[in-house]
Amino acid sequence: MKTISTSKSHGGIQGVYAHASAACACDMTFAVFVPPQAKDGPVPVLWYLSGLTCTHANVMDKGEYRRLAAELGLMIVCPDTSPRGEGIADEKDNWQFGSGAGFYVDATEAPFAKNYLMYSYVTEELPALIAANFPADMSRQAITGHSMGGHGALTIALKHPERFKSCSAFAPIAQPSTAGWSKPALEKYLGSDEAAWRAYDTTLLIEDGKRFPEFLVDQGSSDSFLDEGLRPWLLEEACTKSGIGLTLRMQDGYDHSYNFISTFMDDHLRWHAARLG
């Protein structure tokens, strides 16, 4: 692991790091905020998964999480959203696929299966790296994310309820297998058999019996992607039918940007801290 930069913030350390990833077959960059409480021992971990076109840096620069994370004693881990680099398959003119758009799946279709194993990366490889190199209490983990990353957070929590004590999302893609900006990506990564997509679709995972105690979801009412891509009412319907607790907050006048995310970041950090103990 290589340290790219570190900077003191609110008594803690904001770092950016890189390593050679076996899952993605390339170098991957990620950010970690270590709160000041870590000097006294391991601290709980909150994973933040970013959305389309983002890197680790978007939430680090715009998410406004450090002040309260330092107060609450939360480590914040921010992975990248895809493999990157020369020789990695991409569609450079398509912002909804390839670089910056890994969708947190393990691709099975050539040529993407060589590098786009983002599910394995964020659920296996990077957690092992965090556990080995940072003062992280891996028995107390939580997960959140935005848009594509909200989709990732919800699906990962549903498949690992024993690992995560809480899960939230900002404007998640509720049903990516039918949304216009995600369905083409799933087909390219996973093939034309839609049965394979179910493992990466929150509503279909719930339909297939996966469970998590409760979710917190914030969604802006003025989000330009609301009706075509995000459709939180599908998540609400699935949670109601299954008995999963869902706090869905429609935030009047807010859009899809980091102005929306940073406004409600404190609420999400407190939600997770209360459940992490």
Side-chain angles (χ1 to χ4, degrees), residues 185-209:
L186 294 185
E187 184 168 7
K188 291 174 186 177
Y189 286 136
L190 303 172
S192 59
D193 182 2
E194 296 185 14
W197 307 358
R198 300 184 73 89
Y200 302 104
D201 186 304
T202 298
T203 60
L204 299 183
L205 282 168
I206 294 172
E207 184 178 301
D208 290 343

Side-chain angles (χ1 to χ4, degrees), residues 11-12 34-43 70 75 135:
V34 178
Q37 292 86 343
K39 68 180 183 298
D40 299 321
V43 293
M75 180 181 296

